[in-house]
Amino acid sequence: MTLSLPVEAAANELLSRSPLALLIAMLLDQQVPLEKAFSSPYQLGLRLGHEPTAEELADYDPEALAGVFAERPALHRFPGPWPAGSRSWPAAHRPV
């Protein structure tokens, strides 16, 4: 399926062929505007220097990957650090 969203052509192409990129975009769409969410998988690939695989992202050091997402402009809504040892949303950022 070919997608045609209001993002760069290269981002649309990636979303059209990569289920992982589409999944990442759908998850980010819950946090940021559509255009940003659906261009972020492409931007992630640019930051890493290649298109990542699911296995690579699963094995990535969590703090290092958070740093990649938090580079300016951040790819997600909450680029600040999470409280140490926290496994849940900080109270100020919990979805309503």
Side-chain angles (χ1 to χ4, degrees):
M1 162 178 30
T2 302
L3 294 175
S4 182
L5 296 165
V7 297
E8 310 178 40
N12 273 319
E13 189 275 324
L14 175 63
L15 294 167
S16 294
R17 69 175 168 71
S18 171
L20 177 61
L22 190 56
L23 177 63
I24 291 169
M26 288 179 179
L27 292 171
L28 290 173
D29 188 42
Q30 302 302 305
Q31 299 181 23
V32 296
L34 176 135
E35 295 83 0
K36 180 156 188 64
F38 284 84
S39 64
S40 288
Y42 176 70
Q43 293 301 319
L44 177 62
L46 291 177
R47 291 178 185 189
L48 293 174
H50 62 280
E51 183 180 330
T53 65
E55 294 80 12
E56 176 186 0
L57 293 179
D59 290 338
Y60 219 93
D61 173 61
E63 289 184 23
L65 187 58
V68 173
F69 270 80
E71 288 176 21
R72 299 281 182 209
L75 301 180
H76 55 84
R77 184 174 177 186
F78 306 114
W82 290 83
S86 175
R87 293 200 178 273
S88 63
W89 288 76
H93 299 298
R94 285 198 181 109
V96 229

